[in-house]
């Protein structure tokens, strides 16, 4: 499974065999069951997760108990409550498995160690953070400017592999529409 991580990293930066060995020594393999919390609101978010297999959702629960889906993450994606991870504050988001999920977990101290001791990994994480920021910015803009049908079409174009794996009720919540509205969009 560590070879999947190295292959993923090498899609962005080149690694020597020594760098690859140094990197993999900082990750822990973890397995979770469907519906299990990886991060729960209020807990410390001490890990940055690379998903080997499975599917997760990152959610915010508002004061009325309504769940707002911030993002989904599947194989070859990174996920965490990044604000809590970087600041050391309690998580405001929960990371929940939609399928049995296997991850490689990188704790906060090892993340900063990798960035400090490996310019290659610092460059890799910067690249990933930049693309994550761009994706989130695109999502916010689509929520502000597109109607439900347009948001759904954008989701299908952007994430074709996800649409068949996500329950319709979850996809509706992510898009900010009711399940009935999503059904009217010819699903």
């Amino acid at each position: 499974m560590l070879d999947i991580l190295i292959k993923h990293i090498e899609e962005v930066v080149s690694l020597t065999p020594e760098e690859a060995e140094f990197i993999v020594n900082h990750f822990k393999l973890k397995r979770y069951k469907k519906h299990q919390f990886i991060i729960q609101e209020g807990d410390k978010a001490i890990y940055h997760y690379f998903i080997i297999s499975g599917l997760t959702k990152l959610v915010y629960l508002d004061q009325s108990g309504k769940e707002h889906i911030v993002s989904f993450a599947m194989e070859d994606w990174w996920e965490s409550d990044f604000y809590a991870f970087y600041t050391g504050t309690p998580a405001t988001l929960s990371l929940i498995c939609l399928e049995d999920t296997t991850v490689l977990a990188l704790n906060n101290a090892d993340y900063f160690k990798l960035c400090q001791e490996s310019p290659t990994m610092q460059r890799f994480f910067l690249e990933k953070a930049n693309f994550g920021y761009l994706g989130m910015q695109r999502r916010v803009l689509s929520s502000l400017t597109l109607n439900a049908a347009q948001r759904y079409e954008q989701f299908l174009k952007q994430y074709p592999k996800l649409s068949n794996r996500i329950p319709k009720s979850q996809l509706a919540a992510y898009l900010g529409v009711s399940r009935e509205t999503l059904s009217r969009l010819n699903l």
Side-chain angles (χ1 to χ4, degrees), residues 5-186:
L5 173 66
I6 294 304
K7 181 181 175 195
H8 173 77
I9 293 170
E10 288 184 325
E11 290 173 0
V12 178
V13 294
S14 297
L15 298 173
T16 66
E18 295 79 20
E19 286 174 315
E21 184 177 342
F22 176 71
I23 291 163
V24 298
N25 288 330
H26 292 84
F27 286 83
K28 292 181 185 176
L29 182 67
K30 294 180 175 264
R31 289 181 165 81
Y32 299 92
K33 295 288 184 192
K34 183 177 182 178
H35 304 300
Q36 188 175 356
F37 283 83
I38 296 176
I39 300 171
Q40 195 159 9
E41 178 187 352
D43 291 348
K44 289 269 187 186
I46 60 172
Y47 290 103
H48 193 160
Y49 300 96
F50 175 69
I51 299 176
I52 297 293
S53 65
L55 179 63
T56 65
K57 65 178 178 177
L58 189 65
V59 301
Y60 174 75
L61 198 61
D62 69 19
Q63 291 178 347
S64 68
K66 182 178 178 186
E67 183 180 89
H68 301 273
I69 298 176
V70 176
S71 63
F72 296 106
M74 63 179 188
E75 294 84 6
D76 286 339
W77 291 15
W78 295 84
E79 193 63 275
S80 189
D81 178 334
F82 290 111
Y83 185 84
F85 177 81
Y86 289 114
T87 63
T89 57
T92 55
L93 304 171
S94 295
L95 184 59
I96 306 166
C97 298
L98 293 175
E99 300 172 355
D100 289 352
T101 301
T102 301
V103 300
L104 288 171
L106 178 65
N107 71 35
N108 190 286
D110 284 339
Y111 169 83
F112 287 108
K113 180 181 176 184
L114 281 175
C115 288
Q116 185 176 15
E117 296 182 21
S118 172
T120 302
M121 284 306 291
Q122 185 178 40
R123 193 167 55 254
F124 170 79
F125 284 125
L126 178 61
E127 184 90 7
K128 286 296 181 182
N130 286 341
F131 281 108
Y133 176 77
L134 295 173
M136 192 58 67
Q137 188 176 54
R138 184 175 42 234
R139 170 128 195 266
V140 169
L141 289 174
S142 73
S143 294
L144 295 172
T145 62
L146 302 178
N147 64 38
Q150 292 168 323
R151 289 194 307 273
Y152 175 64
E153 287 300 318
Q154 183 182 52
F155 180 85
L156 291 178
K157 284 181 187 171
Q158 207 167 353
Y159 307 113
K161 294 179 183 177
L162 273 179
S163 62
N164 294 331
R165 293 174 66 182
I166 297 172
K168 302 303 181 217
S169 59
Q170 301 289 305
L171 182 54
Y174 175 81
L175 295 172
V177 299
S178 69
R179 174 68 175 93
E180 294 76 23
T181 298
L182 196 59
S183 293
R184 285 193 298 273
L185 297 175
N186 293 324

